[in-house]
Amino acid sequence: MRTKRLVLAGVAALALAGGGGTALAVNGAAPPVAAGETVGKTAGGQTRETAAVRASAPPAASRAAGPRVVRPYQPVEIGRGAKMGLLPEGRQNYVVAREDYAGSVERAKGYAGDSIRPDSLSGGLHTEGDDALYTGAFRTGTVPARVTLRIDGGAEVEAGMLRLPGDSVWGAYHAFGDASAADTGFTVTAYAEDGGVLFEQRFGAPPAD
């Protein structure tokens, strides 16, 4: 089991295997560590941030109607036994868990989260067995109609999206891939309702353990 955070912003906790995921420190303060959890390093090359770039690719056909609007703390099944939820506390604060979702939410309430730049994304991945789960947050002036994820040298996949009710300009995305390709980089692209590219961001290969 392995969790890699490529951008610190946008995540409060990952508890993808019975509380055995990684909770990350934010704003320079380490969050409390529950039994079975480990704290991710935020220095020494363990996190990586890549600047968002405006894309100049030709418009793509829009195939989605935007993020699913969910209640704060609502556990949303995203596939393969994993649940995702968004928190109103903090900034771009969300959790992903396979077990003890309620406990993950309670721990995340005490995390500050972190503010990602406007028109940008955070990104990270968790691998377990043959599965790679890519998750991150987006912060946009225009809510994306769809988000896709393309692993280097691989096919593009449609990501699921969630956001809170009201005028929230942030949300979270999720997509599954093959763990055999998890050591390569990937690109996340956000599209407008008319199919034009809002922005895209590439994340390099995760740092070696």
Side-chain angles (χ1 to χ4, degrees), residues 132-202:
L133 172 57
Y134 297 84
T135 67
F138 59 84
R139 181 184 174 195
T140 58
T142 300
V143 177
R146 56 188 290 253
V147 167
T148 63
L149 184 142
R150 185 176 66 255
I151 300 170
D152 287 0
E156 185 177 68
V157 298
E158 197 84 17
M161 294 186 291
L162 306 177
R163 74 176 181 94
L164 294 173
D167 297 328
S168 177
V169 294
W170 77 275
Y173 68 88
H174 55 86
F176 283 95
D178 190 334
S180 64
D183 289 331
T184 64
F186 60 96
T187 299
V188 182
T189 306
Y191 295 91
E193 189 173 355
D194 64 2
V197 175
L198 291 173
F199 59 92
E200 70 178 20
Q201 190 161 331
R202 184 183 183 276

Side-chain angles (χ1 to χ4, degrees), residues 3-208:
T3 299
K4 296 285 189 182
R5 291 304 311 167
L6 303 183
V7 175
L8 182 59
V11 146
L14 286 169
L16 287 163
T22 302
L24 289 179
V26 291
N27 290 345
V33 181
E37 286 187 338
T38 57
V39 176
K41 297 179 180 179
T42 59
Q46 294 303 304
T47 61
R48 176 176 300 194
E49 184 167 358
T50 305
V53 294
R54 291 281 178 174
S56 57
S62 179
R63 296 192 298 270
R68 174 181 173 183
V69 178
V70 298
R71 300 184 308 276
Y73 319 117
Q74 179 182 343
V76 179
E77 299 279 354
I78 61 173
R80 307 187 192 184
K83 298 182 181 71
M84 174 178 275
L86 308 185
L87 282 71
E89 297 89 355
R91 299 179 295 269
Q92 293 91 54
N93 197 356
Y94 70 91
V95 298
V96 182
R98 278 207 169 95
E99 298 180 17
D100 191 22
Y101 174 84
S104 298
V105 167
E106 288 305 310
R107 289 188 290 273
K109 286 180 180 180
Y111 303 162
D114 203 2
S115 183
I116 57 178
R117 295 186 304 275
D119 290 331
S120 65
L121 299 139
S122 66
L125 66 91
H126 174 92
T127 57
E128 183 174 1
D130 294 332
D131 287 340
L133 172 57
Y134 297 84
T135 67
F138 59 84
R139 181 184 174 195
T140 58
T142 300
V143 177
R146 56 188 290 253
V147 167
T148 63
L149 184 142
R150 185 176 66 255
I151 300 170
D152 287 0
E156 185 177 68
V157 298
E158 197 84 17
M161 294 186 291
L162 306 177
R163 74 176 181 94
L164 294 173
D167 297 328
S168 177
V169 294
W170 77 275
Y173 68 88
H174 55 86
F176 283 95
D178 190 334
S180 64
D183 289 331
T184 64
F186 60 96
T187 299
V188 182
T189 306
Y191 295 91
E193 189 173 355
D194 64 2
V197 175
L198 291 173
F199 59 92
E200 70 178 20
Q201 190 161 331
R202 184 183 183 276
F203 299 92

